[in-house]
Amino acid sequence: MGPSHCKYEQPRHGSLAFLPRKRAARHRGRCKSFPKDNAANPPHLTAFLAYKAGMTHVVRDLERPGSKAHKKEVVEAVTVVEAPPMVIVGVVGYIETPRGLRALTSVWAEHLSDEVKRRFYKNWYRSKKKAFTKYSAKYADSGKQIAQDLERIKKYSTIVRVIAHTQMNKVRIGQKKAHLMEIQVNGGSIAEKVDWAREHFEKTVSVGDVFEKDEMIDVIGVTKGKGVEGVTARWGTKKLPRKTHRGLRKVACIGAWHPSRVMYSVARSGQDGYHHRTEPNKKIYRIANGSDETSAQTEFDITRKTITPLGGFPHYGEVKEDFVVLKGSCVGVKKRVLTLRKSLRTHSKQSALEKVNLKFIDTSSKFGHGRFQTKEEKKAFMGPLKKDLA
């Protein structure tokens, strides 16, 4: 008969796949890989930056043969992310080496806005704001040096990425400094990719040019920070019995006498949240513009209404630019910058290929229990109020 304390087995608490659980080194979600290139397609971008506005719910008919809910109405949670057009300001060529990719050269546009110049300074207020004044002089002599660099990229590079930034004056998150990222250009030959990038210098690209409805995408971002947490919240370990001396939200035994050290796999307290995460397979339910009076209208619900709920999205405000409605939740707090990337996988599942037809999008107030979908509906129900008569 074995010892009494080894009677049971169970899975460990918490995944070791995400070690170390520490604060993310970068605030913006980083694309560590891009989809496989196919030269047969025309040149196109493979990622985009957006800002999390909030959540709501939708009603739709499920098209899933074999499911009990097939042809029935389902209510699903969705996330609204605002994605104003991005500005392309440069192109980078990469060459493949035995040690990975190496940047060959970068070519920047002639004019850069103050939004993106702020990204190159620690203190914009005190700086002389001289960034790129010498570089833009390269365009003076008919851009001979620029043309040479572009030809070098065409000749030697195997991967081409554009440098694009967000437009902070179009999104209300209390920040003036633009988010800047490299986005891989897929499709076409190397020369066609470089030409496409050069043609789009200082021009905007909208989220509708990159993604389409019913597409499966990946969302990359940094999760909501929780600060220092104990083992119960951080790892989900079992609480000790009520009468335990010196606290019960602990791990009772953190290891054997020998080896005389604590194993890395033992649950310990520390930083929880603000981790970099990639969440795959988010389905796009709608791409539209927030200023459009019919952006939340459907075939079944013909009420003229925008995607912004009554009173705005809590901790965000109104969505007035292009937006994407994604199925389910997304990482991060409101206003968090998210990287939307084309999926790395070839999808064959029924749920991934399903054509979604929304019947209703909820725009009731998210402050408390909202009853009304529009201001007009509320006014008709409430009647004239004291504040209206004043």
Side-chain angles (χ1 to χ4, degrees):
M1 188 173 170
S4 62
H5 61 276
C6 295
K7 280 189 284 194
Y8 306 110
E9 289 182 4
Q10 68 273 335
R12 64 162 287 113
H13 289 278
S15 173
L16 295 176
F18 299 110
L19 292 182
R21 291 201 177 190
K22 62 179 188 179
R23 287 191 296 273
R26 60 193 75 82
H27 185 73
R28 175 180 58 79
R30 177 173 165 234
C31 284
K32 297 181 182 180
S33 54
F34 287 93
K36 200 173 181 183
D37 195 5
N38 183 2
N41 298 328
H44 60 275
L45 296 184
T46 52
F48 207 83
L49 288 178
Y51 298 90
K52 181 173 173 176
M55 293 188 74
T56 184
H57 67 263
V58 298
V59 177
R60 69 183 184 97
D61 281 332
L62 191 70
E63 286 291 328
R64 200 167 295 168
S67 167
K68 286 183 179 177
H70 179 51
K71 297 285 185 187
K72 291 181 181 173
E73 282 189 350
V74 291
V75 179
E76 291 176 330
V78 293
T79 304
V80 178
V81 293
E82 192 171 12
M86 292 182 74
V87 183
I88 294 176
V89 290
V91 61
V92 189
Y94 285 90
I95 55 176
E96 289 169 341
T97 72
R99 292 171 302 283
L101 295 178
R102 179 174 75 81
L104 178 71
T105 188
S106 302
V107 176
W108 293 79
E110 185 175 2
H111 305 105
L112 269 65
S113 67
D114 282 354
E115 290 177 315
V116 69
K117 283 182 183 176
R118 282 174 181 267
R119 180 55 60 186
F120 308 127
Y121 288 100
K122 200 75 176 170
N123 191 329
W124 174 255
Y125 164 72
R126 284 190 172 169
S127 69
K128 293 179 180 176
K129 305 173 181 56
K130 300 281 281 181
F132 280 88
T133 48
K134 288 183 179 177
Y135 188 91
S136 58
K138 290 184 179 182
Y139 282 87
D141 55 339
S142 69
K144 195 184 293 180
Q145 178 67 49
I146 300 294
Q148 284 176 357
D149 287 342
L150 290 172
E151 285 303 317
R152 274 187 72 210
I153 296 175
K154 287 181 185 178
K155 188 175 180 183
Y156 298 110
S157 294
T158 52
I159 288 173
V160 175
R161 294 176 184 170
V162 296
I163 303 168
H165 72 83
T166 56
Q167 298 185 79
M168 302 310 291
N169 60 345
K170 292 186 180 295
V171 68
R172 293 152 198 83
I173 65 165
Q175 183 176 321
K176 297 177 182 177
K177 188 186 291 190
H179 288 106
L180 187 71
M181 80 170 289
E182 286 184 12
I183 305 173
Q184 190 158 305
V185 181
N186 278 3
S189 64
I190 296 297
E192 287 171 339
K193 291 185 212 290
V194 175
D195 290 338
W196 185 91
R198 179 68 183 89
E199 286 163 16
H200 284 78
F201 273 11
E202 298 176 39
K203 292 180 184 173
T204 58
V205 176
S206 69
V207 69
D209 300 333
V210 181
F211 303 112
E212 55 190 23
K213 185 179 169 291
D214 300 324
E215 189 178 346
M216 299 292 274
I217 65 170
D218 301 340
V219 176
I220 307 166
V222 174
T223 62
K224 188 187 291 188
K226 307 286 176 88
V228 174
E229 288 282 13
V231 286
T232 308
R234 195 182 186 213
W235 293 97
T237 55
K238 198 169 181 67
K239 284 163 71 174
L240 300 177
R242 181 186 63 81
K243 293 182 74 172
T244 308
H245 185 46
R246 291 186 185 149
L248 46 81
R249 295 173 65 91
K250 295 170 178 285
V251 172
C253 175
I254 59 169
W257 192 307
H258 288 291
S260 54
R261 55 190 168 273
V262 180
M263 296 283 282
Y264 78 96
S265 55
V266 175
R268 307 290 273 159
S269 62
Q271 173 67 29
D272 191 26
Y274 203 74
H275 305 309
H276 187 275
R277 295 288 179 263
T278 301
E279 234 180 335
N281 305 340
K282 297 285 182 190
K283 198 174 186 73
I284 295 178
Y285 277 2
R286 175 165 290 196
I287 298 175
N289 190 283
S291 58
D292 183 5
E293 287 292 319
T294 59
S295 59
Q297 198 180 47
T298 66
E299 198 179 322
F300 296 87
D301 177 24
I302 56 172
T303 312
R304 289 176 67 84
K305 56 182 185 177
T306 61
I307 193 70
T308 306
L310 279 181
F313 282 105
H315 302 279
Y316 188 85
E318 296 180 359
V319 172
K320 294 185 177 177
E321 296 296 324
D322 294 345
F323 67 88
V324 181
V325 176
L326 298 171
K327 182 186 174 180
S329 59
C330 290
V331 298
V333 293
K334 315 292 186 298
K335 302 182 182 178
R336 179 67 45 89
V337 61
L338 299 173
T339 304
L340 312 180
R341 181 188 64 190
K342 282 186 174 290
S343 183
L344 303 182
R345 304 169 184 175
T346 304
H347 294 279
S348 56
K349 277 191 176 179
Q350 201 171 32
S351 57
L353 303 176
E354 182 184 354
K355 297 293 178 190
V356 173
N357 185 21
L358 300 181
K359 294 180 82 170
F360 170 76
I361 300 173
D362 182 59
T363 56
S364 64
S365 174
K366 303 303 169 195
F367 288 89
H369 303 282
R371 284 197 295 169
F372 309 106
Q373 295 295 317
T374 60
K375 287 178 183 175
E376 292 74 30
E377 185 187 333
K378 184 178 180 180
K379 204 169 186 181
F381 181 85
M382 303 287 277
L385 300 174
K386 205 175 190 179
K387 62 180 181 182
D388 300 330
L389 301 173

